[in-house]
Amino acid sequence: MENKIKQSDIKRAIKDIQKLDSDLRKLGTPATPDIIGFYGELLAWQELKSKFGWRGYNIRFGSGQSKADIVLKKNERKINIEVKTSRLKKEQPGMVYGFAINIKKCKLHPRAIYIHPKKGKIEGDFCYFDYLLIVTLSDDLKKQKFYVFPRKFLEANKRHLRNKSKHFSSGSHRIIFVEKLKNPEEITSLDKRLSKNKKKYQNAWHSIKL
């Protein structure tokens, strides 16, 4: 039986990470990307709970068979949601929010591959999630914005989202929201268009459907 997640525990963990980040900054370093990533998942869980919990969905963190970060489940049907989180990065290619996205092995498409500029051939696709939930954070972590992208958006634009930047070498693909540009060579036309029209996807909870 799954342990029921308490909202009070989520809220406490969120406050604990905010305090940890504040304390780390006093030592000259902010919270690491892993901590920020988990913090984003906590915020996403809390937001999804408020939007879908009352509609009979069970919101849990992904584990076991699920490769996505959060799973919404109702009866025997489920929605897999991958969460990506970023604070504003004040470095090359400029002031941007950057989100590294990975493909993963898929039983339905075993021959799907991607040639990574550093890692070589990687097997997989985006089938492990139904929606991508992007979280942007203020510098102190206390303000956040949410953006919802259906998987079909990534599949339709996967060539333009391929990671060719050394700054996002961990992922096979990436999404960038540009706030201020320094190096235009690393920014694609899709990056510019998406940055300009990102409000279309902000709080697009209505797009999440079984």
Side-chain angles (χ1 to χ4, degrees):
M1 181 180 292
E2 297 178 2
N3 293 327
K4 186 176 180 180
I5 299 174
K6 296 180 180 179
Q7 292 190 59
S8 58
D9 291 337
I10 295 290
K11 290 181 179 180
R12 187 179 302 112
I14 287 172
K15 289 183 178 180
D16 286 345
I17 293 177
Q18 290 174 349
K19 177 65 165 57
L20 173 63
D21 182 69
S22 177
D23 290 343
L24 288 173
R25 283 177 173 275
K26 294 174 184 176
L27 299 175
T29 180
T32 63
D34 284 348
I35 294 174
I36 294 300
F38 181 58
Y39 180 74
E41 291 175 26
L42 293 171
L43 293 173
W45 186 97
Q46 184 174 249
E47 198 70 14
L48 289 165
K49 179 69 175 178
S50 71
K51 296 290 189 295
F52 295 91
W54 64 273
R55 293 166 56 183
Y57 286 88
N58 178 34
I59 295 89
R60 61 178 178 83
F61 293 105
S63 63
Q65 294 285 332
S66 175
K67 297 178 182 178
D69 294 316
I70 296 178
V71 178
L72 275 62
K73 190 173 182 181
K74 186 175 182 180
N75 299 323
E76 296 303 315
R77 303 182 69 183
K78 63 181 181 179
I79 302 171
N80 293 308
I81 297 179
E82 182 73 356
V83 181
K84 292 297 178 180
T85 308
S86 175
R87 279 197 277 212
L88 189 64
K89 303 176 187 296
K90 303 172 184 179
E91 56 193 40
Q92 292 290 348
M95 295 178 66
V96 304
Y97 293 99
F99 311 91
I101 306 165
N102 283 306
I103 57 173
K104 295 183 181 180
K105 287 184 178 181
C106 176
K107 292 181 180 179
L108 296 177
H109 310 107
R111 295 183 180 180
I113 62 168
Y114 167 75
I115 306 300
H116 190 278
K118 288 188 177 181
K119 301 177 183 178
K121 186 171 72 173
I122 303 175
E123 297 178 349
D125 56 23
F126 298 123
C127 279
Y128 66 98
F129 64 84
D130 300 302
Y131 295 89
L132 175 68
L133 178 55
I134 279 179
V135 186
T136 62
L137 299 173
S138 61
D139 205 43
D140 63 1
L141 305 187
K142 294 183 180 180
K143 295 180 181 179
Q144 59 278 160
K145 293 180 180 179
F146 301 94
Y147 301 86
V148 181
F149 293 87
R151 186 180 68 210
K152 63 182 180 182
F153 170 86
L154 283 88
E155 291 174 338
N157 294 282
K158 60 184 178 182
R159 291 187 178 182
H160 303 289
L161 296 173
R162 286 178 178 174
N163 180 20
K164 299 179 181 179
S165 171
K166 60 183 179 181
H167 303 288
F168 299 97
S169 60
S170 62
S172 60
H173 297 73
R174 93 287 186 275
I175 284 179
I176 292 177
F177 289 167
V178 181
E179 297 295 311
K180 186 176 181 180
L181 188 58
K182 286 184 181 179
N183 184 359
E185 293 182 0
E186 292 192 16
I187 301 300
T188 67
S189 59
L190 179 63
D191 295 331
K192 295 176 183 177
R193 189 165 65 252
L194 194 54
S195 299
K196 183 179 180 180
N197 300 316
K198 62 180 180 290
K199 283 190 175 181
K200 173 183 176 182
Y201 302 95
Q202 186 175 353
N203 297 325
W205 308 108
H206 62 278
S207 67
I208 298 179
K209 300 174 182 177
L210 277 173

